[in-house]
Amino acid sequence: MDNEIQDYESIPLRNYTERAYLDYSMYVINDRALPHVADGLKPVQRRIIFAMGELGLNNNAKYMKSTRTVGDVLGKFHPHGDSACYEAMVLMAQSFSFRYPLVDGQGNWGSPDDPKSFAAMRYTEARLSKYAELLLGEARQGTVDEVPNFDASLNEPKLLPAQVPFVLLNGSSGIAVGMATDIPPHNINEVISACVHLLDRPKADVADLMTHIKGPDFPSEATIITPSSEIREIYESGRGSIKTRARYEKENGEIVITALPYQSSPAKVLEQIAQQMQQKKLPMLSDLRDESDHENPTRLVLVPRSNRVDIDRLMSHLFATTDLERNHRVNLNIIGLDQRPRTMSLTGILTEWLRYRQDVVTRRLQFRLDKINDRLHVLEGLLIAYLNLDEVIRIIREEDKPREALMAAFNLTERQANAILDLRLRQLAKLEEMKLRGERDELSAEKADIEKILNSKARLKTLIKKELLAIADEYGDERRAPMNEKLDEAKGFSEEDLLTNDPITVVLSEKGWVRAAKGHEMKPEDLNYRSGDGFAFASRGRTSDVLVFLDSTGRAYNLPAHSLPSARGQGEPLTGRLKPPEGARFVGVSLGERAQRVLVASNAGYGFVGKLEDMVTKNRSGKAFLSVPKGGVALPLVTLPESEEDVLVCAVTTQGRLLAFALGELPELSRGKGNKLINVPAAAFKSGEETVLGVQVVGSGHDLLVYAGQRHLRMKRKDLESYVGERARRGRKLPRGFQRVDALGVE
């Protein structure tokens, strides 16, 4: 029992959990989530490629069921879930996910609409693509280290001898413990050109390399709109984001989207646009449809309502509000040659990969040189045999141990003696001897060339450059994602942009209920009002105009005109949307453009000219606009005519005094008390004996209407001349019978 106890180690739980978590973290980082700078692959991807190579599934082979490949990967190299392994295999086969797919699939391997809509592995078939040859072509030439698999029954390569930097070509994304990676794909021609430049100029910086690598090259043909200065910062720091935008054309008055950003789903884009149409946020669109097919993988058609729609402005809104424009996060976090993850710059990635490539090529050349030396050694023994053919034949016929005899007679090694004994009779012909001499000469020349390369760093770099340029000639293609940093920034429609410009009449009742009627023809007085309520004010304008209310305390409020209830009902109380002070009532409404001028005044006889834009506020409690003295109230808003020439301001008091003066005598203010319009004695105002009843503006061709009980007085412009005086005067008495005025009007 004591011996059994001694077999256990006792450590604090804190130490155990810390060590276990760190072990797990390093496993996830190195063996699952992050790619390696050498071949740009994660372990599961590397094992899938290697297993398919072992099965002979090269680009010219017959397709094989995916279940066979996944089974081999799981059984021999990667003992994890089959679905995760198959998904990794599918990703490498999707041309819309990988810039240079490593797997050539047959069957349903998903679509841009839903990348995970691929068929089950029992239905699909696969083989390696032509690009996989750049990973496996040198795998059996002693170029990489091999390590035992999970049960030590087989060996697998620690890394694959990539002939190009796949870490940049296909990019990668993954989430580890405490870190993540997002590497965008790039164009093979540009990357190889940058590698050649770096071989010639090892001290080149990111700016130099960007003369070759313009930026990422996504599988999609969407336009990259990130400025080159920002891309340079990303390549220098290893972090940032790249913005791509869909491409569209104008075709017979319709908008045809021909390319979507990388990893954008056409179905989702259409759903986003349709949702905005349902919410009436895109009144300028009448229809949309998906016409994508095999010839046109991406063809989304948007139909504007009319040819007057600004298509570029519409697309700018869609770029800002849908996946037609996307940001792609960049985080160049890669496992380096020292097996440590770190964020690298573009120069760091290519420099480290070139160091790996030099090591691979050196090992490949050394492997070939060893093979040549071994063969030359054998050929030397064979040629000795041909020079002493009769003696060799005698020894073989007569000696009991011919191998030892040959080794002793001609000073041969065991390897050479075995090669002589393995000769067939027909190989003893003179012609065969000549072939051996020719082979020796060729191998000797090749040996000399290899030794020159191995002994010269310059020759080694030249060889690597030639091989890279040859790969570019065979596998290179044109850039897919164009770059245009001069495009304007996407801007969504504001609420005002989406409004229709229809004529409406806003009606405010005595109790503060508001509604809007279409058009300007209706008479507000004829509308149906709630019991005890009646018509108070109305203002005509358009749905896109600014709508302003004024309360008795002089506070201004703002509401969108298009949001008012229809005049078919009785409207809704303004207090439901606004919060006026307790006891205040609404005394005016005005609907017009932001620059529309209005006259505001208090019953104390003060007022000024202001603009509607100065009365706009988002505060439900309004904003102080007109300063009203204690005991006073604001008078109804008076909208000024477009032409303010020869316009008179008419102010009438409750004692029947009228004063008319030129509008130009009033100041224009953004807020305040204003100037005196008509002289009302302070004592009379405080006692309530006399206040200003109303203010109106009368232009040429208009009449002033004065109401007193059942009677009214129409005063033409010439009748007002006798009441014209300087602003702030006492004014003159109205005719007899109008000493107690009830209201003013203009016609």
Side-chain angles (χ1 to χ4, degrees), residues 594-597 609-615 625 668-669:
R594 298 182 69 88
Q596 173 67 54
R597 286 156 55 91
V609 174
K611 291 183 179 179
L612 290 186
E613 62 183 355
D614 294 327
M615 304 175 73
F625 185 65
E668 181 176 324
L669 304 174

Side-chain angles (χ1 to χ4, degrees), residues 334-368:
I334 305 168
I335 298 176
L337 296 179
D338 57 0
Q339 297 303 312
R340 292 185 177 182
R342 63 181 183 276
T343 302
M344 301 185 185
S345 65
L346 178 63
T347 307
I349 293 173
L350 293 182
T351 300
E352 195 140 334
W353 181 83
L354 285 172
R355 194 182 312 144
Y356 174 73
R357 183 62 187 158
Q358 289 176 10
D359 179 61
V360 168
V361 173
T362 300
R363 294 179 66 167
R364 187 191 76 205
L365 293 174
Q366 188 62 53
F367 181 81
R368 177 60 181 162

Side-chain angles (χ1 to χ4, degrees), residues 71-99:
D72 260 37
V73 174
L74 300 185
K76 294 180 178 179
F77 309 113
H78 197 73
H80 295 275
D82 58 342
S83 59
C85 179
Y86 182 49
E87 281 193 29
M89 181 179 173
V90 167
L91 190 70
M92 292 190 290
Q94 292 176 338
S95 59
F96 50 86
S97 296
F98 265 42
R99 179 65 176 84

